[in-house]
Amino acid sequence: MAILDDLSGFEFEDLMEDVFRNLGYENVRQAARTADEGRDIIMEEVINGTHRAIIIECKHTATVGRPVVQKLHSAIATFDFDGPKRGMVVTTGRFTNPAEEYAGDLQQSDDPYPIELIDGEGLREIADDIGLDLYNGRIEILCQETLRPYDPAVDIDAPVQEAFRDINNINTAEVPTPHSQVSFRPVVTITANTNAVFKTSVGVIHQINDSTQFVIHAERGHPKVVDDDVGTLVTENFHATVTLDIGEFTESFDDVEEHRFGQTQTEYKEWAVDHLKDYHTTTVTYTGDNNVTYNKTCEPNRSDISVQSIEPVYLPVIRQTTELREYSYPHEYYAAGPSRVTLEDGIHRCVHCDTTGVDETYTYCPNCGAIACNRHIKTERLEEKPVCTGCAVTERFALQTKYFYDTENLNTFREEYADMAFYQKAMENTWLVGASAVTILLFIVGLFIIGGIL
């Protein structure tokens, strides 16, 4: 059965680089594609605490003979590495008997530079372990790990309770349990190095030596780099993942969704290389030998960009909705144990205007369940408690608007107001009383001035 036939030799090397990285080898990288001296990929493994270099020759051919193995043995011997070394030949086809005999003799004689042979059948076994599609050369995403959707030390609705503590006139102990939904969304953390030198007749005009790590949304559709705070949330909590067990999380959340990775690991690598090419492309101005100023666009080649790691994980999105009388308050955030990045805060938001944010003051109206800012919260005249402008019944007394929970309260106050003495009715509008007092005082002062007393 033919495998990976549509790949070029260089594409096969790229694929093998990804394969060995997925198998857990360290510092996996490709040698320069020109004059590679018989070594295509270089990587390291740790044996009993000692780093050992592995030099790999990739052959995308039907058969591999003894000369290829011999050439690799010489390349291992001359490879500059302070420690033990061994070799590996990988092919999509098969090895000839002389090639297998040569590698076997190295093993039996305890040669310091042994060589392992991996043929097409061996690749099939590796494919099962890492999700390699042998027909198109793509490595699938195999991921069962997620960041923690909640802090196990507290209740799931603790973030909502914390948010309601900022709201005036509400007893958080009486806030009903919110409806909780978790969506496990795939993300990929990519680490890559970009090294490029741009020269003209005057010498080096631009140089890139950059190590980059970024996180991308990995659902269906075009990949997108996450916001900085979300990227930090992922990278700082990557060490504290748990198994994505839908059954377990169903016991804790009302609704559970799992979104699949939209593309293969290979496709995310290709996208990352294109992204970094665009990111590092810049126009440089320099002066030539003839004292003429030139502009040159410096764009790194794909070979200048080396993807060091592609780490998939699920990022939980928690949406908790609290129902308070006539209103619903959503609270949505990315979660990683006790750490969170808020997506939507419907609690710190006035239901009557665009006022939002934790720096504002909000008050709860027990009459209708509204959370409102200071401009839309008034004091109920009869009970002297907060009522929002959206539900209050109003009427003017002593030329000032009064707010009431309902018409029953309004009628009760009408009766009280009717029985009040004149000065008590006047005090229902303290601003009017104050202005009248100032006016009278100014009138008296004016009379004294006219009469020559002052």
Side-chain angles (χ1 to χ4, degrees):
M1 179 175 60
I3 57 176
L4 310 177
D5 282 347
D6 292 337
L7 298 183
S8 69
F10 287 157
E11 289 172 334
F12 180 59
E13 292 172 15
D14 287 340
L15 174 61
M16 288 300 101
E17 181 185 357
D18 292 339
V19 165
F20 289 116
R21 187 177 294 115
N22 275 270
L23 289 173
Y25 292 97
E26 297 183 359
N27 198 20
V28 182
R29 65 220 186 259
Q30 291 189 43
R33 287 182 174 174
T34 57
D36 66 1
E37 300 180 356
R39 49 181 179 258
D40 295 320
I41 297 174
I42 304 165
M43 62 188 187
E44 297 174 20
E45 62 183 351
V46 180
I47 305 297
N48 297 325
T50 301
H51 283 258
R52 177 163 66 178
I54 305 175
I55 295 88
I56 303 167
E57 177 74 11
C58 299
K59 287 296 180 183
H60 188 25
T61 57
T63 58
V64 177
R66 176 180 176 132
V68 172
V69 185
Q70 287 179 309
K71 181 181 178 182
L72 177 61
H73 187 261
S74 299
I76 300 170
T78 59
F79 180 64
D80 185 15
F81 183 78
D82 186 17
K85 299 174 285 186
R86 72 179 180 94
M88 187 183 296
V89 182
V90 183
T91 180
T92 54
R94 64 178 184 83
F95 295 96
T96 64
N97 289 336
E100 292 178 340
E101 290 173 0
Y102 184 84
D105 290 342
L106 295 177
Q107 294 281 355
Q108 293 176 5
S109 63
D110 290 330
D111 189 276
Y113 311 124
I115 295 177
E116 178 184 358
L117 305 181
I118 300 178
D119 58 11
E121 184 176 349
L123 279 179
R124 289 184 180 90
E125 296 176 359
I126 291 174
D128 292 337
D129 293 334
I130 67 170
L132 169 63
D133 185 339
L134 292 176
Y135 294 96
N136 65 20
R138 301 289 183 179
I139 297 179
E140 306 295 333
I141 296 286
L142 299 179
C143 180
Q144 291 297 323
E145 297 297 310
T146 179
L147 301 181
R148 289 185 179 273
Y150 60 91
D151 183 357
V154 298
D155 293 335
I156 290 179
D157 58 350
V160 172
Q161 295 175 350
E162 178 183 326
F164 273 113
R165 290 192 189 101
D166 296 335
I167 309 303
N168 295 332
N169 195 47
I170 191 169
N171 185 354
T172 55
E174 297 179 357
V175 173
T177 301
H179 179 277
S180 296
Q181 174 184 342
V182 58
S183 297
F184 293 98
R185 299 186 177 274
V187 296
V188 172
T189 300
I190 297 175
T191 304
N193 293 332
T194 305
N195 294 283
V197 177
F198 302 89
K199 298 180 179 179
T200 67
S201 59
V202 299
V204 175
I205 61 169
H206 184 58
Q207 189 168 355
I208 304 171
N209 184 11
D210 180 67
S211 181
T212 307
Q213 184 180 66
F214 54 94
V215 181
I216 61 173
H217 291 293
E219 297 180 61
R220 289 184 177 181
H222 194 67
K224 179 183 177 183
V225 178
V226 305
D227 294 337
D228 290 343
D229 52 354
V230 180
T232 300
L233 180 75
V234 173
T235 55
E236 290 187 350
N237 292 278
F238 201 88
H239 64 284
T241 60
V242 296
T243 301
L244 177 54
D245 186 338
I246 297 297
E248 175 187 346
F249 294 127
T250 301
E251 296 178 359
S252 303
F253 292 90
D254 299 305
D255 295 311
V256 179
E257 295 179 348
E258 178 185 356
H259 296 243
R260 296 295 182 181
F261 286 84
Q263 300 182 37
T264 66
Q265 177 177 297
T266 308
E267 289 169 320
Y268 288 125
K269 175 185 175 181
E270 294 170 351
W271 178 88
V273 172
D274 289 336
H275 171 76
L276 289 173
K277 279 186 61 180
D278 293 339
Y279 177 79
H280 287 295
T281 297
T282 186
T283 299
V284 175
T285 301
Y286 69 97
T287 302
D289 294 329
N290 55 0
N291 289 326
V292 176
T293 300
Y294 296 94
N295 292 324
K296 179 178 176 60
T297 299
C298 298
E299 179 182 6
N301 298 317
R302 294 181 65 86
S303 58
D304 295 328
I305 302 169
S306 173
V307 176
Q308 301 298 304
S309 65
I310 298 178
E311 299 177 290
V313 73
Y314 284 95
L315 174 60
V317 179
I318 314 300
R319 186 174 182 85
Q320 297 176 300
T321 305
T322 306
E323 303 291 341
L324 293 176
R325 294 185 178 270
E326 300 175 16
Y327 295 91
S328 297
Y329 297 98
H331 193 60
E332 187 172 59
Y333 52 90
Y334 290 116
S339 302
R340 303 187 300 274
V341 172
T342 302
L343 290 171
E344 180 184 4
D345 184 359
I347 297 173
H348 295 90
R349 176 187 299 162
C350 178
V351 301
H352 302 299
C353 68
D354 295 331
T355 301
T356 60
V358 295
D359 295 332
E360 299 290 337
T361 299
Y362 304 92
T363 303
Y364 175 66
C365 173
N367 193 50
C368 66
I371 292 176
C373 67
N374 284 341
R375 288 177 296 166
H376 294 93
I377 280 287
K378 302 296 181 180
T379 300
E380 208 274 352
R381 177 58 187 89
L382 196 64
E383 301 186 21
E384 299 295 330
K385 294 180 180 179
V387 60
C388 78
T389 58
C391 71
V393 176
T394 63
E395 189 167 313
R396 293 181 68 80
F397 293 88
L399 303 180
Q400 186 178 63
T401 300
K402 303 293 181 181
Y403 295 83
F404 303 90
Y405 281 135
D406 49 35
T407 54
E408 182 178 351
N409 278 27
L410 170 59
N411 291 332
T412 300
F413 183 75
R414 282 174 179 165
E415 296 174 359
E416 292 184 3
Y417 187 80
D419 293 335
M420 287 181 183
F422 172 78
Y423 71 91
Q424 290 177 317
K425 291 181 178 180
M427 290 303 297
E428 287 299 320
N429 190 341
T430 54
W431 286 101
L432 180 61
V433 172
S436 299
V438 171
T439 301
I440 293 172
L441 179 60
L442 292 175
F443 178 75
I444 295 174
V445 170
L447 290 178
F448 285 163
I449 293 175
I450 294 172
I453 300 176
L454 292 178

